[in-house]
Each structure stands twice: as C-alpha cells, then as structure tokens.
Amino acid sequence: ICVSTSKYIELINLKNGKTISRFTLNGNYYPRRMSKYKNYVYITDLYGDCLHRLDLNTSNLEQNIIKVGAAPEYITNDSTNLY
C-alpha cells in the first residue's frame, strides 16, 4: 500500500490485512503507484520523478533507483518490461 502524504509503503498480509513491514521514504519522496514484477515491487514517486524498488525476498527498499519523467502517475508491466 502506498501512503503518499505519510511518505511510506506498507507491506501487508492479504489474508488477514495485518502489517508485515512499513517502509518510510527519506527525503522529498511521495510514493504513488506500484507494480509487481518478478520478485520486486516498483513504486512511482510523484515528486521525486523516479522509481523505487522493494525486494520481496529481502524486504529491502531501494530509493530513487531509476530516474523517469516528471510526476510519474502510473506503472504497469507485461511480464517482460515495465511501462
């Protein structure tokens, strides 16, 4: 779950809705949309103009890994590429 105004990403258990982990973004970052691709979740950032990546195997959040155009609002994939 992306919580833009609170600047965090929450990983939850879909069966019971309980929080597994919460990741707070440092700096002027505001998460917007997410897309799961392989063992990662890629997260757009509205004001950082970048993507963040959450490794689902290690629960490691990498901030600002890919610079993109201004104010990315959406992200999706076709099992081969991110768009």
Side-chain angles (χ1 to χ4, degrees):
I1 298 171
C2 289
V3 185
S4 290
T5 55
S6 295
K7 300 171 59 166
Y8 68 83
I9 299 160
E10 192 154 345
L11 186 60
I12 63 167
N13 181 313
L14 291 177
K15 292 181 182 177
N16 61 24
K18 293 186 178 183
T19 298
I20 298 170
S21 296
R22 179 179 285 177
F23 305 91
T24 301
L25 295 168
N26 299 316
N28 192 32
Y29 295 120
Y30 292 84
R32 291 292 285 166
R33 307 276 190 243
M34 300 184 292
S35 182
K36 183 181 179 298
Y37 178 69
K38 298 185 180 178
N39 292 321
Y40 298 97
V41 174
Y42 289 85
I43 305 110
T44 64
D45 193 288
L46 184 61
Y47 300 122
D49 303 334
C50 64
L51 296 180
H52 308 292
R53 181 171 63 186
L54 175 61
D55 185 327
L56 296 174
N57 291 326
T58 64
S59 294
N60 182 44
L61 177 65
E62 298 173 83
Q63 289 188 214
N64 194 12
I65 61 153
I66 301 171
K67 292 301 264 179
V68 296
E73 280 287 329
Y74 298 99
I75 188 167
T76 191
N77 71 76
D78 64 3
S79 298
T80 304
N81 297 294
L82 287 169
Y83 300 97

